[in-house]
Amino acid sequence: MHKYVPSRGENRVSRELIAKIVIVVLHLVGLIGLSIPEYRPMFQSLTPAQLLTTLFIILFFHRGWNDAFPIFAAAAFWIGFGSELIGIHTGYLFGDYVYGPVLGPKLWDVPLVIGVNWFILSYLTGSVFRNIPNDYYAAFLGASAMTALDYILEPVAVALDFWAWKWEIIPISNFVGWFIIAFLIHLIWRKANFEKSNPISAFLLITWIIFFTVLNFTLDI
């Protein structure tokens, strides 16, 4: 009797399916928990853990492990983190805002996971537009997508005490600043020479869009 041995492609599909199920379950549980006032504080405190879990899933399926990738990853983290540092302490780039305690440990008043968030968003949107031939047009599309997602995310972030704006008004400068910083990171993404396809990027990005869109209706915003 011949034993059936799955091909590598079938194993990959199986891993992708498991990852997608995990992504859906994590975000569905988070959506329910954050939407119920009694459980909201506990799920708010789990936000950094969910971001780090998302990072792990992305890196697990990442294919372009060469010297260029960690350079991009470090650039995305530190440019994003540095821009938030400037924003918090000067009011430039984004406007006047402060971070709450929800996002975990801070360095100079900025949560460390914010750098992770910039990396994740630039990675996901960059991967989605990876086949656009022109670097500047692709960076424009990626930065536009990140800014659009920030527009959806902002009311949720304020309601969940991720951060708070002066006068409780989200300024236009926030979205302008987001676009500029995102465009810069996307240009680095485009110039960095590593494999940019990731089988779960589009799925994860769509999940985030749905997650924050639904929270706009389930939270008291």
Side-chain angles (χ1 to χ4, degrees):
M1 179 181 292
H2 295 287
K3 183 181 292 185
Y4 173 72
V5 179
S7 69
R8 290 185 178 181
E10 290 172 303
N11 285 334
R12 184 171 65 251
V13 170
S14 177
R15 291 196 299 269
E16 290 172 19
L17 178 60
I18 292 171
K20 288 176 180 178
I21 292 172
V22 169
I23 289 168
V24 170
V25 170
L26 281 176
H27 287 84
L28 185 59
V29 171
L31 184 62
I32 295 171
L34 291 170
S35 299
I36 301 174
E38 291 81 3
Y39 296 103
R40 188 173 299 160
M42 180 181 69
F43 280 88
Q44 284 174 282
S45 67
L46 292 174
T47 301
Q50 182 154 1
L51 269 174
L52 293 176
T53 301
T54 301
L55 175 65
F56 173 80
I57 293 173
I58 289 172
L59 295 179
F60 182 81
F61 286 96
H62 177 69
R63 297 166 175 169
W65 292 103
N66 61 13
D67 292 342
F69 178 67
I71 293 174
F72 162 74
F77 180 96
W78 287 111
I79 290 174
F81 185 88
S83 67
E84 301 282 353
L85 198 62
I86 293 171
I88 283 290
H89 292 284
T90 69
Y92 294 124
L93 293 180
F94 307 115
D96 291 316
Y97 65 108
V98 292
Y99 280 102
V102 175
L103 295 179
K106 299 177 183 178
L107 179 64
W108 301 308
D109 298 323
V110 177
L112 290 169
V113 294
I114 286 297
V116 174
N117 188 59
W118 276 96
F119 166 78
I120 290 174
L121 286 176
S122 57
Y123 183 102
L124 295 181
T125 50
S127 181
V128 168
F129 295 112
R130 69 186 183 279
N131 291 326
I132 301 295
N134 184 278
D135 289 344
Y136 292 92
Y137 182 48
F140 173 82
L141 291 177
S144 297
M146 283 181 63
T147 305
L149 183 55
D150 181 55
Y151 181 80
I152 299 171
L153 185 152
E154 280 292 340
V156 174
V158 172
L160 294 177
D161 200 26
F162 291 178
W163 54 79
W165 291 97
K166 188 176 182 180
W167 315 121
E168 299 183 355
I169 296 174
I170 303 170
I172 296 298
S173 60
N174 171 64
F175 303 110
V176 175
W178 253 80
F179 179 85
I180 293 172
I181 300 302
F183 184 83
L184 174 59
I185 295 174
H186 271 278
L187 278 182
I188 297 172
W189 161 275
R190 294 288 301 193
K191 300 301 182 182
N193 186 23
F194 59 86
E195 172 60 46
K196 296 180 172 68
S197 64
N198 189 312
I200 55 100
S201 287
F203 184 85
L204 186 50
L205 182 61
I206 292 171
T207 302
W208 272 31
I209 292 170
I210 295 173
F211 178 76
F212 287 110
T213 299
V214 174
L215 280 177
N216 269 278
F217 294 98
T218 60
L219 297 176
D220 299 325
I221 297 175

